Amino acid sequence: SLAFCNRLCGRAVRANGAGMISANIKAIIKQHHAINIDEYCDFNLFFLISDQYYKENLHSDILASILDPKASHRQGNTYLACFLRFLINNDIHIDVNKYCDAYIEREKGRIDIAIKTPNSEKDKRAIIIENKINDANDMPGQIPRYYFLLKRNGYQIDQIIYLSKDGIKVPDESTWNVENIGNDWNPQSKEEICKLIKPIAAYRDSD
């Protein structure tokens, strides 16, 4: 939800010494104040939440834009680095240094958000974010299909973030089979994939 994006931005603001934030989007406003006022910046959060985006992809569009170091917010990898630290603080083991030059993909291969290290790297790594904030059901074999798609393209998947409103929802494993996934599937794969899945709450009452 927007609360999750605000929370992520807030961590970045506090990390840069900008002080406390409210529950709104003051984090982004404060970040923009740090930019030379004479420098044109076309990043507009409200454009992202206009009618053309106000569909099922709303939250993923916003989150992907905030995380993207090359997005028009002109904060570089500030928000991405903060997100990675957030994962580490939630007991997710990721080598942050591997993602210094990472880039964001949105809906490629139907994956909501993928954080990837550059293709030029021999050790290609990725983090999958599956957005279930609206409590949508999994498609048959959804998570394993994403996992194997990236594996076939030479990526080692470091984590699969399963983002829901309260962090309680988990993937539906009942459709994880050869029929829905293909010949990549085997019983050992299930254990490997399950170890990578981390349910995360998009919103907490304390935020």
Side-chain angles (χ1 to χ4, degrees), residues 55-85:
K55 303 290 183 181
E56 60 185 11
N57 293 322
L58 166 67
H59 304 107
S60 294
D61 286 331
I62 295 174
L63 181 55
S65 182
I66 290 174
L67 292 177
D68 188 353
K70 296 183 179 180
S72 55
H73 51 62
R74 298 193 180 187
Q75 299 305 300
N77 66 355
T78 299
Y79 298 135
L80 177 59
C82 233
F83 178 72
L84 294 176
R85 288 196 296 272

Side-chain angles (χ1 to χ4, degrees), residues 28-79:
I28 293 177
I29 295 173
K30 289 183 179 180
Q31 287 289 338
H32 284 182
H33 285 169
I35 300 174
N36 189 323
I37 59 174
D38 295 326
E39 184 179 2
Y40 175 72
C41 181
D42 57 359
F43 181 73
N44 187 341
L45 182 64
F46 296 99
F47 172 78
L48 293 174
I49 59 176
S50 63
D51 288 343
Q52 64 176 314
Y53 284 99
Y54 199 69
K55 303 290 183 181
E56 60 185 11
N57 293 322
L58 166 67
H59 304 107
S60 294
D61 286 331
I62 295 174
L63 181 55
S65 182
I66 290 174
L67 292 177
D68 188 353
K70 296 183 179 180
S72 55
H73 51 62
R74 298 193 180 187
Q75 299 305 300
N77 66 355
T78 299
Y79 298 135

Side-chain angles (χ1 to χ4, degrees), residues 99 114-117 123-128 150 155-160:
Y99 288 88
I115 305 173
K116 294 182 174 181
T117 58
D123 183 19
K124 297 197 298 184
R125 294 174 176 267
I127 298 169
I128 296 171
L150 295 185
Y155 285 92
Q156 175 177 325
I157 292 80
D158 283 330
Q159 202 70 47
I160 301 171

Side-chain angles (χ1 to χ4, degrees), residues 1-192:
S1 67
L2 291 176
F4 178 73
C5 296
N6 286 334
R7 175 150 53 101
L8 176 60
C9 291
R11 290 175 183 272
V13 172
R14 290 192 293 271
N16 288 323
M20 300 299 294
I21 62 170
S22 71
N24 283 312
I25 57 172
K26 289 184 179 180
I28 293 177
I29 295 173
K30 289 183 179 180
Q31 287 289 338
H32 284 182
H33 285 169
I35 300 174
N36 189 323
I37 59 174
D38 295 326
E39 184 179 2
Y40 175 72
C41 181
D42 57 359
F43 181 73
N44 187 341
L45 182 64
F46 296 99
F47 172 78
L48 293 174
I49 59 176
S50 63
D51 288 343
Q52 64 176 314
Y53 284 99
Y54 199 69
K55 303 290 183 181
E56 60 185 11
N57 293 322
L58 166 67
H59 304 107
S60 294
D61 286 331
I62 295 174
L63 181 55
S65 182
I66 290 174
L67 292 177
D68 188 353
K70 296 183 179 180
S72 55
H73 51 62
R74 298 193 180 187
Q75 299 305 300
N77 66 355
T78 299
Y79 298 135
L80 177 59
C82 233
F83 178 72
L84 294 176
R85 288 196 296 272
F86 167 81
L87 297 183
I88 291 172
N89 290 338
N90 280 271
D91 299 321
I92 296 174
H93 303 291
I94 292 175
D95 186 348
V96 175
N97 294 325
K98 297 283 186 181
Y99 288 88
C100 289
D101 298 316
Y103 63 99
I104 308 298
E105 284 187 344
R106 174 81 177 92
E107 281 291 346
K108 187 170 183 178
R110 306 198 69 176
I111 299 173
D112 283 341
I113 300 172
I115 305 173
K116 294 182 174 181
T117 58
N119 288 324
S120 58
E121 297 289 338
K122 293 182 179 179
D123 183 19
K124 297 197 298 184
R125 294 174 176 267
I127 298 169
I128 296 171
I129 302 177
E130 176 59 26
N131 184 359
K132 296 295 183 183
I133 289 176
N134 290 333
D135 202 33
N137 293 327
D138 284 358
M139 298 296 288
Q142 184 176 23
I143 298 301
R145 285 190 286 107
Y146 295 165
Y147 171 84
F148 288 118
L149 174 63
L150 295 185
K151 291 282 283 187
R152 288 195 299 270
N153 284 281
Y155 285 92
Q156 175 177 325
I157 292 80
D158 283 330
Q159 202 70 47
I160 301 171
I161 306 302
Y162 200 76
L163 185 65
S164 65
K165 183 177 180 180
D166 53 16
I168 297 175
K169 185 180 179 67
V170 295
D172 178 9
E173 301 175 16
S174 66
T175 61
W176 292 13
N177 51 51
V178 173
E179 181 181 356
N180 291 316
I181 300 167
N183 293 330
D184 289 321
W185 180 250
N186 60 70
Q188 290 72 33
S189 299
K190 181 176 181 179
E191 182 179 356
E192 183 177 350

